[in-house]
Amino acid sequence: MMSQISPDPSARAAHIAEFSARHRLRWLEALPWIAAIAAYFIFPNYLALGAQILAIILFVLSLDLVLGYAGIVTLGHAAFFGVGAYTAGMLAANGWGEPVSGLLAGGVVAAVVGLVSGAIVLRTSGLTLLMQTLVVAAMLYEFANKAHRFTGGADGLQGMEMWPIFGSFRFDMFGNTAYLYCLAVLFLCWAAARNVVHSSFGRSLTGIRENVGRMHAIGAPVARRKLIIYTFSAALAGIAGGLIAQTTQFVGLGVLNLERSGMALIMLIIGGVGQLYGAFIGVPLYMIAQDRFAEADPTYWYFWIGLSLIFIVVFLRGGVFGVVERLFGRGKSP
Amino acid sequence: MSDLWASIISIGFHGLALAMVLYLISVGLSVTMGLMGFVNLAHGAFAMIGGYLMTSLMSRYNVPFALALLAAVVAVILISLVLERLLYRRLYGGDELDQVLMTMGLIFISIASVTYIWGPITQPMQPPPALSGQIDLGFRTFPTYRTFLIVCGAVLVTLLWLTLERTRFGAQVRAAVDNLRMAQTIGINTSRLFAITFALGSGLAALGGALGAEILPITTFYAMDNLIYFLIVVAIGGLGSIRGPFFAALLIGVSDTAFKYIAPELGAFFIYALTMAILLWFPRGIFGRT
Amino acid sequence: MALKRVLFGLVSVAAAGMSQASAQTVKIGWINSYSGFLAQAGDQMEKGLNLYIKLHSKDLPPGVKVEFVRRDDTAAPEVGKRAAQELITRERVQLLMGIVASPVAAAVAPLTAEAKVPLVITNAGGVSIPRISPYVVRFSFTQWHTALPIGTWAVKQGWKRGFSAVADFIPGHDAEGAFVKGFTDAGGQMLGTVRFPPATADYAPFVQRIKDAKPDVAFVWVPAGPAATAILKAIKDLGVREAGINVVSTHDLLPDEELPNIGAFGAGLVTAGNYSTMGVRPANQAFLKAWNEEYKGKAIPNFTSVAAWDAAHAVFEMIKTTRGKFTGDEAMKFFSAWKDPNSPRGPIAIDPATRDIIQDIYIRRAEMKDGKLINTDIDTIKAVKDPWKELNPPK
């Protein structure tokens, strides 16, 4: 990637200038938000689905931070999503239905789980790391399954009662409130993530992903940085889980399973890894397609998703973003 | 006290049967991961297809047990050879993420395919009458089929060990696992080695899946549901070895059964905690090579 | 925001009103488990519904049509809840039907109250589900219908010490509670209970616990389907019955479609249930004839199929009576007063106080006849209302 810098000094200067200016907002970045607000008015019957999509975008965005920016290949990210969901859910099921504080609680608890598990598993790499992330998620799944006095176990968490947001905006089954709530939360979290990514901390993550040895050599605190982004990402994933719990008023074991982690990975790959916006493309594409095609007969859905995945990996490296960038001839952005 | 012993023996026995099934399925994964450095999450799909083929040959077409088993294994070997050539080959030495994704895609395709062909319902498995019921081993009786499983497992471990240690093919595999570049420079045709090892590993998985259909039932989500068990056996046992997964499978099989007996409320939690602990001390697995 | 909500509310009401005024097509949301560990029960239920629709669509009044919008809940409550929500808000169904798994029904029930859309349950047996919302009516059974009588019966056989092993989710818990109540009230003593994960495959460790406890009678409960054959295999392999332990259960252990797989080992097992293909009554004979014509021996009906059939009958009659134009409240009023003396399982009725089913319960012993395993009735308890609700009146 970085090796695409040409030896020609003026081209190099232009490239570096563009690189340094990346943190500034470009008009293209307003598109997702405009689209989301437009969707609110154009598709009033689909707002429940829309709210889900927004929450999952946040989840997949959090995955992008660890996978796309720090290069940590994890199959257990649903652990943090699920922890956030159950935290927010259990609060609401036990009398505390205030949404915002429930959401924050979900984020905090997920961050703690991320910090503790990260401190243990991030020492490893490759297959061992993959395994450890899988195992952490599996342990949490079993725990949620067995602690059914608190979580409802296989029956799911029943009895969640959400209070209206700020006392006035009630959650209804058509999803009006839920959609705007998820949109606002996604916006705030995205802004935070964007800041992180474009900060010097974020740049160093790219370095860690591309060439760990050299990062060690220049004295960067690699382990600590990885842990920080892992924890931050866990917090965001936890908030996303809390959003799902609060807007559906239900938490089932599916928030913690392998399929959840795998699907997030797939959605990110479809959109494009490490571009910050891969989630914004991959998630709606996937979830809307699933809504259209998978409802009555999921069999064909699995087949096409599997086929698409293989196709993307073998032929369409970089997902939608990769395709777009190849079409428009820009160098791959770090 | 003798009651306690009876329970312990019974649990140990069932754990051993589970261990054999896990081993048969996972040993191929361990060798191919050690040999090709390829994260094949779809390995369980081969076991699953083996199970589907054998059970449907037996129940729908009344093919005898041994023949159905052989047919299932051969079919899966062929399928795996085709897949290796078409897909896996492209990603050798590639990015780990790509391998994870491609094999995840294969898992989904496998789920869809078996649902399409065989429907969503679990495949019933009826062992042949000769292997049903109980067998009297003198001091107590044991379920015949589970005994058969254990014997099969032991025989296959021995065969594998002999192949690896005593044949030229085995020597080539060992060389390639130790140092791929060197093996290539001394003239070993590594790409053919990969294909054969992959096929053998998949065939063993099919064998394990088919034989173990009572213990790990043949469902459409088999490859995904059991993935973590296979990966745990391989990760704990160490990549590229056939000895490692054996002991790992023993550990996992017996512990899992024991924990389910001692504390059914806690389920598989202990297995995962155990795995995590072992991987912390032995990141390359207990028998892993550097 | 409030103004928008008022406008939106007005539009919805107007749309609903309009759709009722020209209601030639009744849209019914059908939620079933097409995949997941309950897929077999789902398949049985689907066949029962489809058979009824095929035979009786012509009985609808002219101009009235019924459209079923089907969704898979994969036996996961969050998926089922989302499906129900979409059926209500997007498809605008007038009625929800189906649901195999109690956790799914429990998750969907609150939605029915908010939307005033009736839910006609054709399987899920969780006892408290009809109490979650006044728009829920159930045509199948509860675990208390079947497990409590078997507990009482067991003690009458002189089996005083019992043990129970059940699947660890709502219906399993209900079954355990019901058996224990019936057993202990009749004078029995429970030595212990064990619960195993709902989707368990290898029952050996749990069945070992039964053997170790050495009870006179063991009550096992698994969701009807392949799990029944699997746990019976474990019971056979570990020689539980040979060790002198009697095994009883509800009809979930010996569902009609699994009897061929279970075979001779099942002989002697006693279960309590609400339907058996061996039931001798004209309605059952007619049902079986229609079933075999349609499915040509490739499927065997069980209690789930019959529940779907009975529910479809009630729904179609309601549509006939109202000519397809009904509010949720009108539908519920109809269902609450429902009586059908000619169900394939015997006479059934809905209890208006609880919106749960009243039906005859049969104690049956399995035996081999002409080389096939069948359930033979040895006792009948007439017109059983859900015992749990009788014992636990609403506060």
Side-chain angles (χ1 to χ4, degrees), chain C residues 78-309:
Chain C
E78 62 269 26
V79 178
K81 183 168 185 169
R82 185 136 52 109
Q85 193 169 352
E86 279 168 18
L87 284 168
I88 295 176
T89 61
R90 246 199 265 171
E91 301 290 335
R92 310 233 171 236
V93 298
Q94 290 174 258
L95 202 69
L96 285 172
M97 257 181 99
I99 308 192
V100 176
S102 297
V104 176
V108 168
L111 292 173
T112 67
E114 192 181 335
K116 300 203 200 300
V117 169
L119 169 63
V120 177
I121 296 181
T122 55
N123 189 62
V127 279
S128 44
I129 293 173
R131 286 209 181 141
I132 299 179
S133 150
Y135 290 88
V136 174
V137 62
R138 171 164 43 216
F139 278 81
S140 49
F141 64 101
T142 72
Q143 298 301 335
W144 281 70
H145 269 112
T146 47
L148 192 148
I150 202 73
T152 318
W153 182 88
V155 177
K156 279 206 214 125
Q157 311 310 303
W159 304 331
K160 296 282 195 212
R161 290 164 331 148
F163 191 89
S164 96
V166 304
D168 194 3
F169 65 138
I170 292 178
H173 305 161
D174 282 356
E176 179 191 279
F179 177 80
V180 169
K181 179 87 176 130
F183 193 72
T184 51
D185 273 3
Q189 179 208 358
M190 288 301 291
L191 298 176
T193 62
V194 74
R195 292 178 175 182
F196 43 81
T200 295
D202 187 18
Y203 288 93
F206 311 107
V207 172
Q208 184 65 40
R209 289 282 289 253
I210 299 177
K211 219 176 156 194
D212 291 344
K214 297 215 214 339
D216 298 320
V217 61
F219 173 75
V220 303
W221 190 92
V222 289
T229 309
I231 198 172
L232 281 173
K233 246 189 220 167
I235 289 175
K236 178 161 106 174
D237 284 346
L238 269 81
V240 169
R241 295 170 79 192
E242 290 78 351
I245 302 172
N246 297 286
V247 175
V248 297
S249 182
T250 62
H251 54 188
D252 299 274
L253 189 67
L254 293 174
D256 290 286
E257 82 275 13
E258 283 292 316
L259 294 180
N261 291 336
I262 294 170
F265 181 69
L269 290 173
V270 177
T271 57
N274 63 358
Y275 174 75
S276 153
T277 52
M278 303 304 297
V280 177
R281 55 192 80 87
N284 194 23
Q285 263 50 60
F287 172 73
L288 287 172
K289 182 154 175 283
W291 180 281
N292 287 322
E293 263 172 33
E294 174 69 13
Y295 297 115
K296 302 185 187 29
K298 292 220 180 94
I300 302 176
N302 71 352
F303 55 89
T304 338
S305 322
V306 169
W309 170 278

Side-chain angles (χ1 to χ4, degrees), chain A residues 144-162:
Chain A
N145 195 1
K146 294 303 170 178
H148 62 67
R149 192 164 339 155
F150 304 107
T151 62
D155 302 330
L157 190 66
Q158 316 270 354
M160 279 179 69
E161 299 251 347
M162 296 306 306

